[in-house]
Amino acid sequence: MPERENEAQLLAECRAGKDAAWGRFYQLFGGYVYSLCRRYGVAEGEIVDTVQEVFAQVFLNLKSYDPVKGALKPWVRALAINIVLMHLRKQSRGRIVYLEDYSDDVQVSGRGVLDQLNQEALLSIVAKLPLNLRLVFNLSVVDGYSHREIAERLTISEATSRQHLTRAKQWLRRHLSQPSVKQAYGLF
């Protein structure tokens, strides 16, 4: 497994304080962290600062990473998600999303619509979700967290997590069924 050996060597060099190793570390994970920030809805003007904050925390916490417990990328992802969630919590204080606007009785056909979207289009559509729905959607659908884990991270109940995911999917179905959206994204 040359990839794991390269990862171990990179870790050893980073822990030894070698600047070139930190440069390679950033090259390896910078784009990934950037796209994660975008997907979770960090404002364009704040993404670079948030990415820097993630890598500052990686730098401070790298000694706590244990390769026996898992690969490096999931560790970086978990750290990045925590920082992004903290950033979004600070940013959204005082903002309320009224969930009554997203009724449970929405029935929209066309399940294959998401398959027709490219990644950029899908990112832009998911970014339009209200913050609480977007966070649960990303944590559950994209990052694979359970409702229990989401509830712990967002300090909500598991039932609220399930409800937000259902409403996020309904919002996406309703949004994607609008003729103007279909035309804008070339959907049929």
Side-chain angles (χ1 to χ4, degrees), residues 106-117 169 173 176-177 182 188:
V106 176
Q107 298 292 327
V108 181
S109 62
R111 293 191 182 270
V113 173
L114 291 179
D115 295 333
Q116 298 175 36
L117 291 172
K169 289 177 179 179
R173 282 188 202 111
L176 290 170
S177 70
K182 286 183 175 182
F188 303 101

Side-chain angles (χ1 to χ4, degrees), residues 37-131:
C37 290
R38 247 185 106 205
R39 189 178 36 162
Y40 275 82
V42 174
E44 281 298 320
E46 298 172 8
I47 291 177
V48 172
D49 290 340
T50 306
V51 170
Q52 282 184 311
E53 188 176 341
V54 168
F55 281 97
Q57 289 301 313
V58 166
F59 179 78
L60 293 172
N61 293 296
L62 192 60
K63 60 184 161 269
S64 71
Y65 168 70
D66 183 1
V68 175
K69 292 182 180 177
L72 186 58
K73 188 173 184 178
W75 181 81
V76 170
R77 181 188 75 189
L79 190 63
I81 288 173
N82 285 338
I83 291 165
V84 166
L85 292 177
M86 284 189 304
H87 172 79
L88 291 172
R89 272 190 210 110
K90 287 180 203 171
Q91 183 183 29
S92 68
R93 290 195 185 177
R95 236 186 275 161
I96 298 173
V97 175
Y98 294 98
L99 292 178
E100 296 81 45
D101 295 340
Y102 308 100
S103 66
D104 291 332
D105 62 348
V106 176
Q107 298 292 327
V108 181
S109 62
R111 293 191 182 270
V113 173
L114 291 179
D115 295 333
Q116 298 175 36
L117 291 172
N118 65 33
Q119 184 176 1
E120 192 66 31
L122 187 56
L123 264 177
S124 70
I125 291 169
V126 170
K128 293 176 184 174
L129 279 165
L131 179 63

